[in-house]
């Protein structure tokens, strides 16, 4: 029963009774608060970012769960409480931490690197779905973390750290997760610049 409950929460977050929902194109948005009309613009910006990727093959049907970073987030993100968002393997549900549609912002409880745009986070997590569609879930799961996360941030065109913040953090906490994502994005950009923009060649990196 516990396993069934865990699987249900992992792949059907709607069982936690998100009180508000809205369909926007291929995305069903579920939220803890009334859904600001600006979600349409933010999903459009995310779609523009996704279209820049060579592996984009059309709009991705998915569910977006926007939390307030409270009990719903804590229940759903047991293994990644400090993340901005997550998507489970083989799933199309994107669960987002403390979301502010009006400000196009997602925040976490990290001390440094704790803010990103909501549209960028949506693009990042949707890129993981596109990678899985392109390679298959199993091959996607075997990608080095720097490739998978760095490419998702490359498509999202942002990190949670500026270069200056990354430099300061490198001196005080060189193993910080935010720094790993920042460095992965830059590494991916370098590989793509050197290989003529071939995403498949990037995915062959080890």
């Amino acid at each position: 029963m516990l396993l069934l409950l865990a699987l249900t929460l992992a792949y059907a977050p709607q069982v936690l009774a998100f009180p508000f929902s809205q369909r926007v194109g291929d995305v069903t948005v579920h939220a803890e608060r009334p859904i600001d009309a600006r979600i349409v613009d933010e999903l459009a910006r995310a779609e523009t970012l996704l279209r820049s990727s060579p592996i984009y093959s059309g709009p991705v049907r998915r569910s977006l769960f926007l939390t307030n970073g409270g009990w719903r987030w804590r229940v759903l993100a047991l293994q990644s409480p400090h993340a901005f968002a997550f998507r489970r393997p083989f799933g199309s549900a994107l669960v987002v931490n403390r979301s502010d549609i009006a400000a196009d912002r997602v925040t976490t409880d990290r001390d440094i690197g704790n803010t990103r745009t909501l549209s960028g986070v949506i693009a990042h997590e949707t890129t993981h779905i596109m990678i899985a569609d392109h390679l298959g879930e199993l091959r996607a799961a075997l990608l080095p973390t720097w490739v998978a996360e760095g490419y998702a941030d490359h498509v999202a065109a942002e990190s949670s750290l500026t270069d200056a913040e990354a430099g300061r953090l490198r001196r005080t906490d060189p193993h910080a997760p935010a720094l790993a994502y920042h460095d992965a994005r830059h590494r991916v950009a370098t590989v793509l610049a050197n290989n003529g923009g071939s995403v498949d060649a990037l995915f062959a990196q080890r």
Side-chain angles (χ1 to χ4, degrees), residues 5-77:
L5 176 61
L7 288 172
T8 300
L9 290 174
Y11 290 95
Q14 60 267 31
V15 301
L16 293 184
F18 283 77
F20 302 96
S21 63
Q22 178 181 337
R23 184 71 176 269
V24 181
D26 290 279
V27 182
T28 303
V29 183
H30 303 269
E32 295 190 45
R33 297 172 179 164
I35 299 171
D36 191 291
R38 280 166 282 197
I39 191 64
V40 174
D41 295 331
E42 286 153 25
L43 286 168
R45 178 178 182 267
E47 191 70 14
T48 297
L49 292 168
L50 294 168
R51 288 177 183 273
S52 71
S53 170
I55 64 172
Y56 178 87
S57 60
V60 177
R61 186 176 296 276
R62 60 211 189 274
S63 297
L64 178 65
F65 294 85
L66 304 179
T67 79
N68 296 338
W71 69 268
R72 286 183 178 86
W73 171 258
R74 291 192 296 271
V75 169
L76 293 169

Side-chain angles (χ1 to χ4, degrees), residues 72-158:
R72 286 183 178 86
W73 171 258
R74 291 192 296 271
V75 169
L76 293 169
L78 286 175
Q79 296 181 337
S80 51
H82 308 299
F84 287 96
F86 65 85
R87 171 248 175 194
R88 304 292 187 199
F90 298 96
S92 60
L94 314 180
V95 182
V96 183
N97 202 337
R98 194 177 300 112
S99 310
D100 184 340
I101 296 174
D104 189 20
R105 185 171 61 215
V106 179
T107 56
T108 75
D109 58 0
R110 297 174 182 170
D111 293 330
I112 301 174
N114 58 10
T115 304
R116 293 186 62 157
T117 65
L118 174 57
S119 51
V121 168
I122 294 169
H124 175 108
E125 296 302 330
T126 306
T127 298
H128 286 305
I129 298 177
M130 294 198 314
I131 293 172
D133 288 344
H134 185 70
L135 296 177
E137 287 282 359
L138 296 181
R139 284 185 62 198
L142 294 175
L143 289 177
T145 299
W146 73 267
V147 173
E149 300 300 341
Y151 186 66
D153 268 2
H154 178 77
V155 173
E158 68 176 26

